[in-house]
Structure formats: structure tokens, C-alpha cells
Amino acid sequence: MTEAELHEIGRKGAVDALEEAFHAGRFRTSNTGETYPDYYGKYWDQANGWSKPPVD
């Protein structure tokens, strides 16, 4: 493999790991301490007129 191919494999692995950690809630906001999915989910709900998520 070339150095460029190895670099791309490493970069993709790092991006995938960060994305998985983000969606799993392992990163937290610095202002409220909430997970990013919860923090931005609440913002989306408010912006779209939902007081709480729908119940199935």
C-alpha cells in the first residue's frame, strides 16, 4: 500500500470512531453537560413546535 492509502485508511477509521462516539452520547456539551444528541434533539424539537417527542 502507498503512504496515501494508509493515511486514508487511518483517517476513515478516526472519523468513524468519532462519529460512533458522538451518536452513542460519549461527547457532552460544555455548557449543559448533556450529550450532543440530547442537546440538539431538544433544540430541534423546540424549533419544530414539539413540546416532547411523540409517543408510539
Side-chain angles (χ1 to χ4, degrees):
M1 289 188 155
T2 68
E3 188 173 329
E5 290 169 326
L6 291 171
H7 176 78
E8 181 57 24
I9 290 169
R11 188 200 65 77
K12 183 175 181 337
V15 168
D16 290 348
L18 288 169
E19 185 176 330
E20 191 278 327
F22 174 85
H23 289 288
R26 289 195 289 274
F27 292 131
R28 300 204 170 258
T29 64
S30 61
N31 58 339
T32 65
E34 295 173 279
T35 66
Y36 280 93
D38 287 344
Y39 182 82
Y40 286 106
K42 286 179 186 177
Y43 178 80
W44 190 94
D45 290 345
Q46 290 173 353
N48 290 280
W50 292 16
S51 58
K52 57 184 172 181
V55 178
D56 290 335

